[in-house]
Amino acid sequence: MTSYNLLNGTHTSERSDLMKTLLREEWGYNGLIMTDWVIGAMGFQGKYRMAKSAPTIAAGNDLFMPGSEEDYNLAMSALKGENQGFQLTREEAEYCAAHVIDTAWKMHSWM
């Protein structure tokens, strides 16, 4: 589970160097990565913006929690190229979706 803490001014949930490079490549982790599940944690006041779904997904977080309609709309607009602030590629979304499906499949096989 990632956090919403800031590391050098960037939410750790939005850092691909932590998810993709360190956790997946260097440590070999192949499981599901999800954000913290605290609604108020994303509402930082001050000079830093709130953590957003699209950059969090692009960084390698498979699940953005708890997720809302606004988060969905932001991710979809970034995926369609309609978001001025951030773009999300189909490959990035599929990368995360594959981990969610793999986890669901593994859980199903346990039953």
Side-chain angles (χ1 to χ4, degrees):
M1 180 185 334
T2 61
S3 69
Y4 298 114
N5 297 54
L6 297 171
L7 179 59
N8 296 327
T10 302
H11 295 281
T12 57
S13 63
E14 297 179 356
R15 295 194 51 134
S16 65
D17 60 334
L18 296 178
M19 263 71 63
K20 292 180 179 176
T21 305
L22 181 65
L23 189 59
R24 295 219 186 266
E25 292 175 18
E26 291 185 27
W27 294 354
Y29 181 73
N30 196 30
L32 184 93
I33 301 173
M34 66 185 284
T35 62
D36 195 357
W37 196 315
V38 180
I39 295 171
M42 297 177 289
F44 284 99
Q45 301 295 321
K47 67 180 183 175
Y48 298 103
R49 64 166 176 74
M50 295 180 356
K52 301 289 185 184
S53 57
T56 296
I57 295 166
N61 265 286
D62 305 317
L63 288 175
F64 185 82
M65 302 308 290
S68 67
E69 187 172 349
E70 180 183 350
D71 297 322
Y72 170 80
N73 291 336
L74 175 65
M76 292 308 293
S77 68
L79 190 57
K80 293 176 186 176
E82 300 170 350
N83 185 318
Q84 300 295 345
F86 197 83
Q87 302 299 309
L88 179 64
T89 67
R90 179 181 176 131
E91 291 78 20
E92 290 166 332
E94 287 178 350
Y95 177 83
C96 293
H99 292 117
V100 174
I101 292 167
D102 185 57
T103 299
W105 184 253
K106 287 176 182 173
M107 291 176 69
H108 172 74
S109 67
W110 291 342
M111 296 181 167

